[in-house]
Structures are given as C-alpha cells and as structure tokens.
Amino acid sequence: MNPAPAVPPAIASLSNLPGFDPRLAPVLGVDAHLPAVPRAAQTPQALRARFAHPPHWVPEVVLEKQLMGRAPTQASVLLAIVLREQPMVLLTERTAHLSTHSGQVAFPGGRADPQDASAADTALREAQEEVGLERAFVELLGTLPAYVTGTSFRITPVVALVQPDCRLLPNPCEVADLFEVPLAFLLNPANHRRHVYARDGLHREWFSMPYQDGDKNRYIWGATAGMLRNFYRFMQA
C-alpha cells in the first residue's frame, strides 16, 4: 500500500466525504493465501518472548496518503490483549458526536500530552480515561512502528497483556460501546479484506476485518485495521 500523490487538504479524511460508507467499498481481495499465526504463538509466554526478542520484519502499512498539510500530532493507542481462555483484543466504538472518526471502531488511545513520559504512558493514560482500564491490570510488552494517518496523527501502537478480571468503565463522552475480538481472528489474514476508493482525484487503499459479534457486525477498518495488519506481520515474521 504505497502512498499516492497528494490531494487537496480540504479533504480531511474519507469519512468526511459526502455519502462515503466504507462497508460499501469494493473488495479487491482477501488474503486467505497467507498463513495464519499459529495458536501456540498467541499464548502469554509466546507473546512475551516475541517482544523480548523481536524478529527482523518490515511493517506493511506505515504511512497513509497525506490529506492534511500539517506536521503530525503524536498519539498512542493500546493494543490490549485480554488474557481470557481464548486471548481477546479490546476495541471501542467511538461515540457519534466526536469530531473525528465518530462511530468508528478504534483502540483505546489518543494524542500525547506534554506530561506523558513515553508513548506507553500516553496509551495507558488514555485507556484509563476512555475505558477505565487501571494500570495495575496491564503488562506492557512493547511497541510497534508508528503509523501515520492521512489526518496527520503519528500513532504508536503499544501492545500489552491485560488481566481478565479488570473492571472497565467506558467514558460515555467518547465510547459508545466496548467489545472484544479473538486475537486468532485478527491474526488470520483470511479475515483481512483489501479495499480501494478511487474517485475525483482521490485514491486510497485500506484493509478491513469485519467481525460478527452476535447480532452486531463490528466493522474494523482504516488505521485500526492497518495497525492490526502490521501486528500480524510482526507475529508472522
């Protein structure tokens, strides 16, 4: 997914395009030919070992097409793996009234504050503010390469293990819903769809990972899916 030539900065994001619905975008392909990450590599012990001795690897998606003419804003998200019998990844659905990415699926996280000592500190602070996740329940593993969005956010994914007995209290001003997706689902590229939008001089490509959660279809796409795709590449390397 190589960045294409710049487009007018007035287009802040695909989400702001009139009538744009990522669920209706054509599917270019599904990566079922790629190997899934083995279940044995998804245990807490294996994840700790992976980050303690990371492999040589190349992230697949690190720079979206730049749609804003400004310096990137530093931000972090928490890729929280909840240690249930089947490891699960904690995700949020953003409230509809937020000014950016409203209603979308996202990791807990946000922009860095001057008092944050590190990217991990930002992710932990934001996770506590957004979903009530206390740091005592979190074991940090490490970070993935920064992901720069088209809206000029330079996001560092912070990967962590979370104890299953944590108590979560989502902030209703930011979070409409909390849910979990099996780690094995996200680390299986048979669930990774490729999309494209090409119209009026704008060309964007992205991944989606739709997950059927009971009667709800959780549509994971854009930056969140891109960072999960990089996590897959890290785990598969």
Side-chain angles (χ1 to χ4, degrees):
M1 291 196 172
N2 296 321
V7 296
I11 302 176
S13 71
L14 285 177
S15 301
N16 289 345
L17 292 176
F20 175 76
D21 185 346
R23 297 172 185 264
L24 302 180
V27 177
L28 292 183
V30 179
D31 287 343
H33 62 287
L34 296 176
V37 174
R39 293 292 184 105
Q42 301 177 37
T43 66
Q45 297 82 359
L47 288 163
R48 292 185 186 106
R50 187 60 140 185
F51 279 90
H53 305 285
H56 174 73
W57 71 291
V58 178
E60 185 172 349
V61 192
V62 295
L63 181 67
E64 291 183 355
K65 181 177 179 179
Q66 293 303 286
L67 305 179
M68 304 288 285
R70 67 185 185 207
T73 298
Q74 300 297 321
S76 295
V77 296
L78 191 68
L79 201 167
I81 302 169
V82 185
L83 297 178
R84 306 200 186 280
E85 183 175 353
Q86 176 181 203
M88 307 289 284
V89 174
L90 178 67
L91 291 166
T92 73
E93 179 184 322
R94 292 166 61 84
T95 54
H97 68 269
L98 291 174
S99 59
T100 59
H101 309 296
S102 60
Q104 293 186 19
V105 170
F107 298 112
R111 68 181 68 205
D113 281 353
Q115 67 269 24
D116 293 337
S118 64
D121 199 41
T122 298
L124 289 170
R125 175 184 54 76
E126 284 285 337
Q128 189 162 19
E129 292 175 2
E130 283 187 21
V131 302
L133 178 59
E134 297 182 6
R135 300 187 183 206
F137 293 97
V138 180
E139 176 188 345
L140 295 175
L141 294 180
T143 62
L144 299 176
Y147 182 103
V148 183
T149 72
T151 48
S152 296
F153 280 90
R154 188 176 188 274
I155 305 172
T156 299
V158 177
V159 184
L161 304 179
V162 175
Q163 294 302 313
D165 58 344
C166 66
R167 298 179 63 183
L168 301 178
L169 184 64
N171 180 344
C173 294
E174 299 183 55
V175 178
D177 199 6
L178 281 179
F179 64 98
E180 297 176 5
V181 178
L183 179 62
F185 176 91
L186 298 170
L187 295 183
N188 184 349
N191 301 314
H192 299 183
R193 300 180 180 182
R194 296 174 177 269
H195 300 266
V196 65
Y197 179 94
R199 185 176 177 182
D200 299 329
L202 176 61
H203 183 95
R204 282 285 300 276
E205 299 177 21
W206 69 90
F207 287 101
S208 74
M209 303 169 187
Y211 174 66
Q212 195 63 38
D213 180 18
D215 60 351
K216 293 185 178 181
N217 185 268
R218 309 291 192 175
Y219 196 76
I220 307 164
W221 77 289
T224 302
M227 287 181 274
L228 285 167
R229 177 70 171 204
N230 284 345
F231 187 42
Y232 161 75
R233 289 297 188 185
F234 169 77
M235 293 295 296
Q236 187 58 37

